[in-house]
Amino acid sequence: ILLSLPRLIETERCLGKPGMTRDDLFNINAGIVRDLITGVAETCPKAFILVISNPVNSTVPIAAEVMKKAGVFDPKRLFGVTTLDVVRAETFVQDITGEKDPSKTVIPVIGGHSGETIVPLFSQAKPAVKIPTDKLGPLVKRKPHGVVAEGFKLSRQ
């Protein structure tokens, strides 16, 4: 199935479960990414690879090292996907502003994909948003699994 694929979105992964630490998640997903990317390196080394296994900021380097070891690494073909952080930031701001259309708010997010390294750039929102001072503190409160705000609950499946 991997033969001559122009792109591959890596989706085989363990999702976080209640009680799991980021280390637990990494230990499981690291092996999955390593094995899958080994297959990619052997059968379709020119594929564009999008890694979504958490923690993304740790699994992408594993994919890179596997590709390097196989002699087929191309940094222009390997990507880490952290869309969840963007969606969370945009959802929390929309809950404050009352916007109902998800396409109407864009919040850039930079940094890593874990805890304190996730940095939503609320000041760069498109369109510009006015976040009341009393809402800003809770909005930027950090948790290990992403940007969360007091009073908002994320369900994990």
Side-chain angles (χ1 to χ4, degrees), residues 77-95:
R77 293 182 174 271
L78 177 61
F79 306 89
V81 180
T82 60
T83 304
L84 178 59
D85 301 325
V86 172
V87 170
R88 283 177 172 156
E90 291 172 354
T91 299
F92 296 147
V93 167
Q94 288 174 331
D95 285 343

Side-chain angles (χ1 to χ4, degrees), residues 25-35 53-55 58-59 62:
L25 193 59
F26 171 77
N27 289 332
I28 293 169
N29 285 339
I32 294 170
V33 169
R34 180 200 61 227
D35 295 346
S53 288
N54 286 325
S58 298
T59 55
I62 291 169

Side-chain angles (χ1 to χ4, degrees), residues 5 20 25 32 58 60-61 71 76 80 89 102-103 116 131 152-153:
L5 281 176
M20 284 184 83
L25 193 59
I32 294 170
S58 298
V60 170
K76 295 178 182 173
S103 70
E116 297 297 320
I131 300 171
F152 297 105
K153 300 260 190 233

